[in-house]
């Protein structure tokens, strides 16, 4: 496209008046009004909000430039799409040499990097400079550091297509900037603000913990953790309030001048108590409030760590610009931060360690913002539809809308819900007329209507609730919510409002955000209170929901309107003394359950009738045996509104989880109620299925024409494989493969005794109808005694002298298995030896993880390892294993398996007992001659298939391999045709199956 005429005129005007414009008399406001505003209007941006949209959805936010020490404390423009920042523009007067001056570049990059924006623009119209703002800014950087595009106004006519292709509103909406950033994603120095800030506050924690522990020897570990956490939280709050213009800039930095820093810091904290009324600063006993902090003000803290912290928070040492740092980013940082805890050494030194539950889970993973936003919109947003602010706030005797996260962590879901409510209330008040809402709204310097601090406080206290078992997490949630209350405020406006209202700035969240175990009530202590030590009681941390929130659990329809969150995922082995209680208290706590199952059940109990629950959690409960009780409960207790199964798409960065988003309504499902089901993405098209069609069987939603085929197969003349099998057994788990699994040649070289050695099949060797050469053997020190698999005694093992000597030589490696130390197993045992009856039998084996059905026969002397599953049939079963093999490898059962099991990463599927046992096997009526002939024909074809595959493995010439492959393909088609006939498929159904298999 050619340059728009109005931009061409701007270029000409600048050229003709360049000398005047570059003089110091021409300021930033003039260049913005005369040049930069029209420039971005030409790119399609509604710079002046001519469309009149609400504050939350303006295209462009013009920041109130707060001048502090000659430095602008907010970017001049924030360009947004749907209320979400996409890039900043920092404007300078043309007298500034942007190409060479380091200060403007560093200033812009601090803003954008702190706001987690990958790209932003520095311009005085004469120069147009784009920076990669993912590169952490440093005061020593040159002006061209991280610069990715430099243009002058003379370049605009020739480069307009490039500029518009990146920064026009339509281009940004369609992802042009994201694609552009990807082209230079390998830029050196890329570091996200959350990762950098996490490292920063972790360093603060280390230095403060060591200093406080050394100077305050009477502190226990809990008090030490509290003291360090609260000190950091208070410093962050004050510093963020400074950069938002709420506190005088530089207060903390000034404390670094002189001695007795902490004594002067505590005076600042006491003043904050008077000003804010927040639990963050709560040092005096007040009626109706939680207990104050009696600990931290009397601590001794050295000057050095505090001075270092303060210095790191200010320009030029600090890369952070707290005026634009999103509250959500702070939550992400704290989620990681809270994964560690301070412990004390015997000499009262401080050590920071990962929490045991975090270590077991493999780390801490925060919920992506887009997931939070989606769940909030589809729960809170739905509940707000069609309501007025008066109705939502609880007019008359009606209760206000109440939202809870029962495992709130650092508060990401509550921040999302609170932000949604703030935007909703402001928009509705504006729509009803600002003059009607003088107590709720005030007009900012930019003319935009904003919620008063008093109204922001009311919304928070009336609507937002949370619980978490971790006391530190509770404090972080409070901190984030309090900062959200002050978002968009400045000191003058805040003082004006509070002087008029005669009250302190912030709410006390002690009653709204509480610490406790959401799943375990005080009845946990029944009959065992005196049996539990203090540490166990502290860890369990029982919580009485009705006592904590009495106003919520009263009336005709008690409970919360919305329950949202990301409940913890802690596997069955992560439980301690609460396991039995959970099993007694929750229908869902059955088998090897995970913590999130009772959290789903608890969430439903917390809802009032008609309320909505929105969680992101694992999808395993839909598809595995341990979820059967929860599935049955959900089918009857709630309307399942929506499920998005992400399948193998990884939502949590750095974690391998199979999760989904679930929206439930506490309401008995009608016979016509349909579930909206999506796969892999929240944006995927939704299909619907009748909730009535669900059973206690695994929920695998089949929403296309293939559904009836799956149902037809199940309804036929079939028996589930699990009922025909003597065993569907996963393979040997040695606990130390490096010792027990040996290459055949190594076993021969060591002259290990053959009776205790067995060929061991691994998953990588299993092909469809073929086994690759088995290269390894397993040492198996067990025997059958009275029909049971028993370990050899050490005396019996010693009779196999070479194996015994070999194992003794490797004993140091066997001693490093901690689970053995807690068991009664002998030092040379395997961790899971499996049943000899199953191992030493003719069987069908399959790789535990495969992209398609690939089964093969194995002989009785071939054992199998930890990446293989095997099937042996009951003696009473007349069907031949070869017949079963033909069915399992057929296109039809491959089609069935893909639609009834859990997909894993990269299109693979799990082949384990829990899924294999549910395969429908066409049984044979051996009294029916025709049925017997079909069975015998299948056996003959499968035996021929095995022979052909063996010949193929031995073939050497290309011609012979091709000819054999043609025979195999033809035989495959014949087996498939027989399977279709056995299951009674029509020609149209066969077409659907084969079309799906080809895809």
């Amino acid at each position: 496209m050619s340059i728009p005429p109005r931009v061409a005129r701007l270029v000409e005007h600048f050229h003709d008046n360049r000398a005047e414009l570059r003089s110091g008399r021409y300021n930033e406001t003039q260049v913005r009004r005369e040049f930069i505003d029209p420039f971005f209007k030409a790119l399609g941006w509604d710079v002046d909000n001519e469309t009149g949209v609400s504050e939350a959805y303006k295209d462009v936010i013009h920041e109130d430039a707060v001048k502090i020490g000659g430095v602008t404390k907010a970017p001049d423009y924030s360009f947004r799409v749907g209320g979400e920042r996409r890039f900043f523009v920092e404007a300078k007067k043309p007298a500034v040499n942007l190409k060479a001056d380091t200060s403007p570049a560093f200033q812009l990059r601090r803003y954008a990097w702190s706001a987690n924006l990958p790209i932003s623009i520095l311009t005085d119209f004469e120069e147009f400079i784009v920076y990669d703002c993912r590169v952490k800014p440093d005061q020593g950087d040159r002006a061209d550091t991280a610069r990715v595009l430099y243009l002058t106004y003379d370049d605009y006519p020739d480069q307009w297509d490039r500029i518009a292709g990146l920064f026009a509103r339509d281009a940004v909406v369609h992802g042009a900037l994201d694609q552009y950033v990807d082209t230079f994603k390998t830029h050196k120095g890329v570091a996200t603000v959350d990762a950098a800030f996490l490292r920063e506050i972790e360093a603060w924690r280390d230095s403060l913990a060591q200093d406080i522990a050394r100077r305050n020897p009477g502190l226990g570990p809990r008090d030490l953790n509290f003291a360090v956490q609260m000190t950091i939280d208070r410093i962050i709050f004050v510093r963020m309030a400074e950069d938002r213009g709420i506190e005088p800039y530089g207060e903390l930095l000034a404390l670094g001048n002189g001695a007795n820093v902490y004594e002067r810091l505590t005076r600042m904290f006491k003043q904050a108590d008077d000003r804010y009324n927040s639990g963050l600063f709560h040092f005096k006993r007040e009626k109706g409030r939680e207990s104050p902090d009696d600990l931290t003000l009397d601590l001794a803290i050295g000057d050095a760590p505090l001075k270092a912290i303060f210095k790191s928070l200010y320009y030029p040492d600090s890369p952070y610009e707290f005026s634009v740092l999103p509250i959500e980013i702070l939550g992400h940082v704290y989620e990681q931060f809270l994964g560690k805890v301070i412990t004390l050494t015997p000499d009262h030194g401080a050590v920071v360690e990962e929490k045991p539950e975090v270590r077991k889970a493999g780390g801490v993973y925060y919920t992506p913002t887009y997931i939070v936003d989606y769940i909030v919109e589809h729960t809170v947003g739905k509940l707000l539809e069609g309501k007025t602010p008066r109705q939502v706030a609880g007019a008359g005797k009606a209760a206000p809308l109440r939202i809870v996260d029962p495992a709130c962590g650092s508060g990401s879901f509550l921040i999302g819900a609170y932000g949604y409510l703030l935007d909703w209330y402001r928009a509705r008040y504006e729509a009803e007329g600002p003059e009607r809402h003088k107590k709720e709204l005030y007009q900012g310097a930019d003319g935009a209507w904003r919620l008063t601090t008093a109204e922001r406080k009311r919304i928070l206290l009336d609507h937002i609730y949370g619980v978490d078992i971790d006391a530190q997490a509770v404090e972080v949630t409070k901190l984030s919510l309090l900062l959200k209350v002050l978002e968009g405020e400045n000191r003058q406006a805040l003082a004006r409002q509070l002087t008029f209202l005669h009250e302190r700035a912030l709410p006390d969240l002690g009653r709204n955000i509480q610490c406790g175990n959401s799943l375990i009530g005080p009845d946990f202590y029944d009959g065992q209170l005196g049996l539990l030590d203090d540490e166990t009681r502290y860890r369990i941390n029982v919580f009485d929901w009705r006592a904590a929130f009495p106003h919520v659990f009263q009336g005709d329809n008690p409970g919360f309107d919305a329950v949202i969150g990301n409940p913890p995922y802690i596997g069955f082995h992560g439980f301690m003394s609460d396991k039995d209680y959970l099993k007694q208290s929750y229908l869902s706590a059955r088998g090897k359950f995970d913590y999130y199952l009772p959290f789903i059940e608890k969430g439903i109990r917390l809802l009032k009738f008609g309320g909505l629950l929105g969680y992101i959690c694992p999808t395993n409960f839909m598809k595995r045996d341990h979820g059967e009780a929860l599935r049955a409960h959900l089918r009857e207790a709630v309307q399942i509104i929506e499920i998005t199964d992400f399948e193998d798409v990884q939502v949590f960065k750095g974690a391998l989880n199979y999760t989904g988003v679930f929206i439930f309504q506490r309401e008995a499902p009608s016979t016509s109620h349909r579930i909206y089901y999506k796969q892999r993405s929240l944006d995927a098209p939704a299909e619907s299925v009748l909730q009535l069609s669900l059973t206690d069987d695994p929920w695998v939603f089949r929403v296309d024409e293939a559904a009836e085929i799956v149902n037809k197969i199940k309804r036929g003349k079939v028996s589930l494989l699990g009922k025909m099998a003597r065993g569907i057994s996963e393979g040997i788990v040695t606990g130390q493969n490096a010792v027990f699994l040996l290459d055949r040649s190594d076993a021969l070289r060591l002259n290990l005794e053959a009776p205790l050695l067995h060929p061991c099949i691994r998953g990588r060797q299993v092909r469809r109808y073929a086994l690759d050469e088995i290269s390894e053997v397993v040492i198996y020190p067990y025997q059958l005694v009275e029909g049971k698999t028993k370990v050899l005694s050490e005396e019996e093992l010693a009779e196999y002298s070479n194996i015994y000597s070999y194992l003794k030589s490797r004993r140091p490696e066997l001693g490093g298995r901690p689970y053995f130390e807690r068991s009664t197993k002998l030092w040379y045992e395997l961790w899971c030896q499996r049943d000899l009856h199953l191992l030493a039998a003719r069987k069908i084996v399959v790789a535990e993880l495969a992209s398609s059905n690939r089964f093969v026969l194995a002989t009785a002397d071939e054992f199998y390892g930890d990446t293989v599953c095997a099937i042996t049939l009951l003696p009473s079963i007349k069907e031949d294993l070869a017949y079963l093999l033909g069915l399992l490898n057929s296109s039809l059962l491959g089609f069935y398996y893909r639609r009834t099991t859990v997909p894993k990463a990269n299109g693979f599927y799990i082949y384990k007992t829990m899924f294999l046992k549910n395969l429908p096997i066409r049984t044979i009526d051996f009294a029916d001659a025709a049925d017997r002939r079909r069975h015998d024909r299948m056996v003959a074809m499968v035996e021929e298939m095995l022979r052909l595959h063996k010949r193929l493995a031995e073939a050497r010439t290309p011609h012979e391999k091709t000819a054999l492959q043609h025979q195999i393909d033809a035989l495959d088609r014949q087996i498939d045709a027989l399977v279709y006939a056995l299951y009674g498929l029509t020609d149209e159904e066969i077409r659907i199956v084969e079309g799906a298999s080809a895809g």
Side-chain angles (χ1 to χ4, degrees):
M1 71 176 76
S2 59
I3 187 171
R6 55 181 164 173
V7 180
R9 289 193 294 271
L10 291 175
V11 171
E12 183 178 351
H13 176 52
F14 195 96
H15 180 79
D16 293 344
N17 299 277
R18 188 180 183 205
E20 173 65 19
L21 293 168
R22 297 187 70 185
S23 71
R25 295 189 299 275
Y26 201 80
N27 63 34
E28 292 169 13
T29 301
Q30 291 171 295
V31 77
R32 289 174 63 176
R33 184 174 64 251
E34 295 183 28
F35 290 95
I36 297 175
D37 286 0
F39 182 89
F40 281 98
K41 287 180 181 179
L43 289 169
W45 294 96
D46 187 1
V47 174
D48 296 324
N49 194 29
E50 294 174 10
T51 56
V53 300
S54 68
E55 181 76 10
Y57 294 101
K58 285 182 179 179
D59 271 9
V60 181
I61 297 296
H62 302 262
E63 303 290 353
D64 293 326
V66 181
K67 295 284 186 178
I68 300 172
V71 179
T72 302
K73 298 306 295 179
D76 293 307
Y77 302 84
S78 176
F79 285 78
R80 312 189 305 174
V81 173
E84 180 183 349
R85 289 170 175 163
R86 302 311 302 272
F87 61 92
F88 287 148
V89 172
E90 182 64 20
K92 296 299 176 186
K93 57 187 179 182
V96 179
N97 182 354
L98 300 184
K99 186 174 185 178
D101 194 335
T102 60
S103 180
F106 181 57
Q107 182 184 2
L108 170 76
R109 289 174 55 212
R110 284 182 77 212
Y111 291 146
W113 184 75
S114 297
N116 210 32
L117 298 177
I119 201 165
S120 281
I121 298 167
L122 179 65
T123 186
D124 56 4
F125 188 79
E126 182 181 16
E127 299 170 278
F128 183 92
I129 307 174
V130 181
Y131 284 95
D132 176 0
C133 297
R134 300 169 305 160
V135 179
K136 184 179 179 182
D138 185 272
Q139 61 172 321
D141 288 341
R142 303 190 321 175
D144 62 355
T145 299
R147 182 191 293 168
V148 294
L149 180 64
Y150 177 86
L151 301 172
T152 70
Y153 73 101
D154 290 327
D155 297 318
Y156 294 165
D158 293 335
Q159 295 289 327
W160 186 255
D161 284 357
R162 186 179 186 187
I163 295 169
L166 293 174
F167 295 104
R169 189 182 189 282
D170 284 348
V172 173
V173 167
H174 289 96
L177 286 186
D178 299 325
Q179 295 171 23
Y180 182 51
V181 169
D182 286 343
T183 65
F184 48 86
K185 61 185 177 182
T186 56
H187 204 300
K188 291 182 179 179
V190 168
T192 59
V193 64
D194 51 351
F197 196 52
L198 174 63
R199 289 194 295 271
E200 194 92 51
I201 65 172
E202 285 185 328
W204 301 350
R205 174 170 56 192
D206 288 345
S207 63
L208 284 172
Q210 292 171 25
D211 186 88
I212 294 173
R214 180 169 53 84
R215 295 174 185 271
N216 302 269
L219 281 185
R222 292 176 198 159
D223 288 345
L224 178 60
N225 276 277
F226 174 80
V228 171
Q229 177 83 51
M230 294 304 289
T231 303
I232 291 173
D233 289 355
R234 289 163 183 163
I235 289 171
I236 289 174
F237 178 89
V238 172
R239 185 65 189 88
M240 293 186 78
E242 286 183 7
D243 265 8
R244 283 165 161 76
I246 297 166
E247 288 288 326
Y249 180 79
E251 279 189 317
L252 289 171
L253 186 62
L255 291 178
N257 300 322
N260 303 316
V261 175
Y262 189 63
E263 181 182 339
R264 290 181 287 131
L265 180 63
T266 57
R267 287 202 291 269
M268 181 188 295
F269 290 164
K270 290 177 183 177
Q271 293 169 0
D273 188 6
D274 294 334
R275 195 156 52 247
Y276 293 115
N277 188 42
S278 158
L280 184 63
F281 306 99
H282 179 37
F283 309 109
K284 296 174 291 188
R285 295 195 178 277
E286 297 179 45
K287 187 177 180 180
R289 296 187 65 188
E290 62 185 340
S291 298
D293 169 11
D294 295 325
L295 172 69
T296 60
L297 295 185
D298 296 325
L299 291 173
I301 303 180
D303 291 349
L306 291 172
K307 287 184 178 182
I309 290 171
F310 299 157
K311 189 170 185 292
S312 71
L313 287 172
Y314 289 88
Y315 179 89
D317 294 276
S318 171
Y320 310 103
E321 179 48 69
F322 292 102
S323 65
V324 295
L325 184 74
I327 304 302
E328 293 76 11
I329 289 292
L330 190 64
H332 296 169
V333 170
Y334 264 115
E335 282 195 80
Q336 299 290 322
F337 184 78
L338 294 175
K340 295 180 180 178
V341 65
I342 305 165
T343 60
L344 289 171
T345 61
D347 61 351
H348 216 262
V351 178
V352 178
E353 298 178 334
E354 201 168 45
K355 291 177 178 176
E357 62 270 25
V358 172
R359 190 162 53 248
K360 290 175 183 175
V364 177
Y365 310 100
Y366 63 77
T367 309
T369 301
Y370 75 93
I371 298 287
V372 173
D373 291 345
Y374 186 90
I375 289 176
V376 168
E377 182 179 352
H378 287 76
T379 52
V380 179
K382 291 294 181 185
L383 293 167
L384 293 173
E385 286 181 358
K387 292 187 173 66
T388 67
R390 182 175 167 80
Q391 290 172 321
V392 172
K397 294 183 179 180
L401 179 80
R402 292 175 176 135
I403 303 151
V404 70
D405 182 346
C408 62
S410 64
S412 58
F413 277 88
L414 296 181
I415 288 291
Y418 182 45
Y420 193 95
L421 285 167
L422 293 175
D423 291 341
W424 184 87
Y425 268 109
R426 182 178 56 199
R428 294 305 181 277
Y429 288 150
E430 285 188 61
E432 291 181 356
E435 68 282 352
R436 296 176 54 190
H437 294 286
K438 294 181 180 179
K439 290 184 178 180
E440 292 83 21
L441 293 177
Y442 76 97
Q443 202 162 18
D446 58 356
W449 291 101
R450 294 188 171 91
L451 294 171
T452 63
T453 302
E455 178 64 2
R456 296 170 76 93
K457 290 164 57 179
R458 182 201 66 78
I459 293 169
L460 178 55
L461 289 174
D462 281 356
H463 300 305
I464 300 298
Y465 297 82
V467 176
D468 200 277
I469 195 170
D470 187 335
Q472 290 177 285
V474 167
E475 295 307 322
V476 170
T477 295
K478 291 179 184 178
L479 171 64
S480 297
L481 288 169
L482 295 173
L483 288 167
K484 192 74 174 177
V485 172
L486 296 178
E487 196 171 57
E489 295 289 4
N490 60 56
R491 186 174 179 81
Q492 291 75 25
L494 192 63
R496 190 164 56 249
Q497 294 177 62
L498 300 180
T499 299
F500 175 75
L501 295 169
H502 305 290
E503 63 178 47
R504 289 183 281 186
L506 293 174
D508 179 7
L509 293 176
R511 293 186 178 180
N512 287 59
I513 313 299
Q514 299 197 36
C515 184
N517 189 327
S518 287
L519 297 181
I520 298 182
D523 59 331
F524 175 81
Y525 293 138
D526 290 353
Q528 62 171 342
L529 183 59
L531 304 177
L532 301 174
D533 57 46
D534 288 343
E535 187 58 38
T536 299
R537 279 182 276 187
Y538 181 82
R539 183 186 63 79
I540 295 296
N541 197 7
V542 302
F543 188 73
D544 188 334
W545 281 88
R546 293 184 178 276
F549 306 114
H551 54 299
V552 176
F553 295 98
Q554 64 180 5
D556 296 334
N557 188 13
F560 292 94
D561 296 272
V563 175
I564 56 177
N566 177 12
Y569 318 157
I570 302 174
F572 182 76
H573 295 293
F575 299 129
M576 296 175 70
S577 55
D578 50 353
K579 186 189 303 180
D580 291 339
Y581 176 89
L582 294 174
K583 285 185 173 182
Q584 293 167 12
S585 304
Y586 293 91
L587 296 169
S588 55
R590 298 291 178 268
K592 293 185 177 180
F593 65 96
D594 194 303
Y595 230 59
Y596 74 90
L597 273 73
F599 259 102
I600 293 174
E601 188 178 340
K602 185 66 177 184
I604 293 166
R605 294 183 194 177
L606 294 174
L607 284 173
K608 62 170 54 174
F609 287 103
L612 290 170
L613 178 146
Y615 276 171
I616 178 170
C617 63
T619 56
N620 285 342
F621 81 90
M622 295 197 302
K623 305 163 186 177
R624 298 192 177 182
D625 288 351
H626 68 256
E628 183 176 345
L630 180 59
R631 292 195 298 270
H633 178 58
L634 292 175
R635 283 193 300 106
E636 299 171 1
V638 302
Q639 284 193 159
I640 302 171
I641 305 298
E642 179 183 322
I643 296 174
T644 300
D645 186 346
F646 293 119
E647 297 182 338
D648 62 332
V649 176
Q650 295 304 306
V651 170
F652 296 94
K653 185 177 180 181
L656 184 62
N657 282 310
Y658 298 90
T659 57
V661 166
F662 299 85
I663 309 293
F664 302 143
Q665 186 166 33
R666 190 175 184 187
E667 190 170 304
S670 66
T671 55
S672 60
H673 177 70
R674 302 188 73 85
I675 302 166
Y676 288 94
Y677 176 72
K678 292 181 281 188
Q679 292 173 289
R680 302 182 66 79
S681 168
L682 294 170
D683 299 326
E687 302 285 352
S688 68
V689 295
L690 277 171
Q691 182 165 332
L692 190 65
S693 67
L694 299 179
T695 68
D696 291 349
D697 292 336
W699 293 351
V700 180
F701 295 94
R702 297 173 290 279
V703 295
D704 54 17
E705 57 189 351
E708 182 51 37
I709 299 175
V710 169
N711 290 332
K712 180 176 182 176
I713 293 171
K714 289 169 61 177
R715 290 193 302 264
K717 186 182 176 182
V718 299
S719 176
L720 295 183
L721 180 58
K723 294 183 178 180
M724 302 173 68
R726 181 178 185 178
I728 303 176
S729 170
E730 294 156 26
I732 295 167
V733 179
T734 69
Q736 185 56 278
N737 282 355
V739 174
F740 290 105
L741 282 176
L742 295 89
D743 189 270
R744 287 177 182 270
S745 59
D746 290 333
L748 285 171
R749 177 176 53 80
L750 294 168
N751 200 25
L752 301 184
E753 291 84 356
L756 299 189
L757 296 180
H758 299 273
C760 189
I761 303 168
R762 310 303 301 282
R764 62 180 178 271
Q765 295 157 344
V766 179
R767 303 282 178 260
R768 189 164 170 271
Y769 290 117
L771 269 177
D772 289 348
E773 181 182 358
I774 304 172
S775 59
E776 293 172 307
V777 292
V778 63
I779 299 173
Y780 192 79
Y782 299 86
Q783 60 186 342
L784 282 176
V785 178
E786 296 179 353
K788 294 184 178 180
T789 305
K790 298 288 187 180
V791 66
L792 296 175
S793 67
E794 192 159 354
E795 292 77 11
E796 290 170 327
L797 181 63
E799 294 177 11
Y800 303 93
S801 57
N802 293 337
I803 286 180
Y804 185 60
S805 297
Y806 164 75
L807 290 176
K808 282 201 300 182
S809 72
R810 305 293 295 270
R811 186 164 183 172
E813 295 166 71
L814 298 179
R817 300 181 286 175
Y819 38 79
F820 267 72
E821 296 168 8
R822 298 193 297 268
S823 75
T824 58
K825 284 182 173 284
L826 302 175
W827 64 268
Y828 51 84
E829 283 199 67
L830 309 175
W831 179 233
C832 290
Q833 70 271 17
R834 307 303 180 191
D835 187 344
L836 256 173
H837 288 293
L838 304 180
L839 292 170
R842 187 166 175 263
K843 55 209 164 257
I844 293 174
V845 295
V846 61
E848 283 193 352
L849 196 64
S851 58
S852 61
N853 289 21
R854 58 180 213 224
F855 295 83
V856 66
L857 286 178
T859 63
D861 63 332
E862 293 169 339
F863 284 23
Y864 48 97
D866 55 2
T867 54
V868 172
C869 195
I871 303 160
T872 56
L873 294 181
L874 290 166
S876 59
I877 299 300
K878 294 181 180 180
E879 285 84 356
D880 194 283
L881 268 179
Y883 168 79
L884 190 66
L885 183 62
L887 297 185
L888 294 174
N889 278 332
S890 69
S891 295
L892 181 59
L893 286 196
F895 168 90
Y896 182 94
Y897 202 78
R898 289 191 298 276
R899 279 155 182 78
T900 56
T901 52
V902 182
K904 303 296 280 186
N906 302 316
F908 281 74
Y909 293 84
I910 301 172
Y911 289 84
K912 287 189 176 183
T913 309
M914 69 184 79
F915 300 124
L916 290 170
K917 70 179 184 179
N918 293 317
L919 276 171
I921 301 302
R922 168 59 160 84
T923 55
I924 297 296
D925 180 359
F926 285 92
D928 183 328
D931 225 19
R932 179 188 287 272
R933 283 195 297 272
R934 283 191 283 265
H935 171 272
D936 294 346
R937 182 168 171 243
M938 175 69 79
V939 171
M941 286 194 292
V942 168
E943 288 176 346
E944 175 63 10
M945 181 68 84
L946 294 170
R947 188 181 69 82
L948 287 172
H949 273 282
K950 187 175 181 180
R951 285 185 57 194
L952 181 62
E954 296 168 349
R956 294 292 177 265
T957 67
H959 174 73
E960 184 180 7
K961 292 178 181 179
T962 300
L964 287 167
Q965 189 60 56
H966 286 164
Q967 294 177 55
I968 288 170
D969 293 342
L971 193 53
D972 244 339
R973 289 192 293 273
Q974 293 176 45
I975 290 174
D976 276 345
L978 178 55
V979 173
Y980 294 141
L982 282 164
Y983 285 90
L985 265 64
T986 66
D987 290 345
E988 176 60 18
E989 290 166 341
I990 293 170
R991 183 192 64 77
I992 293 169
V993 170
E994 296 195 337
S997 299

